[in-house]
Amino acid sequence: MDKPSIPLFRATAVWLLGMALAVGAQAIERVAPQVDTSPLPAQAQTWTEPNPLRGNAQAAAIGQTAFNQSCAKCHGENANGARAPAPDLRRIGTRCKRIEDDALRQRCLEDADAFFIKSVRYGKQKFGIVHMPPWEGVVSPELAWALRSYVETTPLK
């Protein structure tokens, strides 16, 4: 097998670098959802995990509205993950539900909550490319937990 020529290698490397810079240069627009979070309990007004709104149907409904306003563009309408460029958020912590030991299952859910909330607060960036912008300052803690409550109650199909 012939080795690729140096000029072809350089051209490919330059093209890949250009593509990476172009993707990184595109700003992901952060749109603050327009939802009323006043019905949510005060203990949800902190970034501290675990999710204080787990099992709260009203929080999940608020989260669904906010998700479709601000998250669906990247993560799929109604968190369905279909044709979305970003990960299907419904998968975060799904394996925790299979754990039979209550304490271990709770620890697993707490880890999933920590991963989710840190991703929302600080965003995701790899090699200088922003894959998800930070949402702290755009989304309140109680709204982030409402989003988590919605996502974790939306079934995988």
Side-chain angles (χ1 to χ4, degrees):
M1 186 188 305
D2 293 333
K3 291 184 181 178
S5 68
I6 297 297
L8 177 60
F9 177 76
R10 284 186 185 149
T12 303
V14 168
W15 181 81
L16 286 172
L17 179 61
M19 290 303 295
L21 291 174
V23 170
Q26 293 176 353
I28 299 170
E29 185 180 0
R30 296 179 306 167
V31 178
Q34 303 301 308
V35 294
D36 179 15
T37 59
S38 63
L40 299 176
Q43 74 262 27
Q45 297 175 353
T46 177
W47 293 108
T48 307
E49 63 273 344
N51 183 358
L53 300 178
R54 181 167 282 118
N56 182 321
Q58 188 173 28
I62 291 169
Q64 179 178 17
T65 300
F67 186 94
N68 285 327
Q69 289 179 19
S70 298
C71 309
K73 180 179 179 183
C74 294
H75 292 284
E77 189 71 24
N78 290 314
N80 67 11
R83 298 183 307 272
D88 186 341
L89 300 178
R90 299 171 300 167
R91 297 190 181 282
I92 299 173
T94 55
R95 293 191 174 152
C96 299
K97 296 172 186 173
R98 298 183 201 166
I99 299 173
E100 292 180 22
D101 180 86
D102 289 338
L104 192 54
R105 183 177 50 254
Q106 184 61 32
R107 174 65 185 168
C108 182
L109 287 170
E110 289 172 7
D111 287 347
D113 289 343
F115 175 79
F116 181 89
I117 210 68
K118 284 176 178 60
S119 297
V120 170
R121 287 181 77 181
Y122 306 119
K124 293 290 185 184
Q125 183 174 349
K126 292 180 185 174
F127 306 111
I129 299 170
V130 175
H131 295 275
M132 179 175 146
W135 286 83
E136 187 172 23
V138 178
V139 171
S140 66
E142 62 270 24
L143 187 52
W145 289 124
L147 287 164
R148 172 77 177 130
S149 296
Y150 164 64
V151 168
E152 72 182 350
T153 59
T154 304
L156 289 166
K157 294 179 181 152

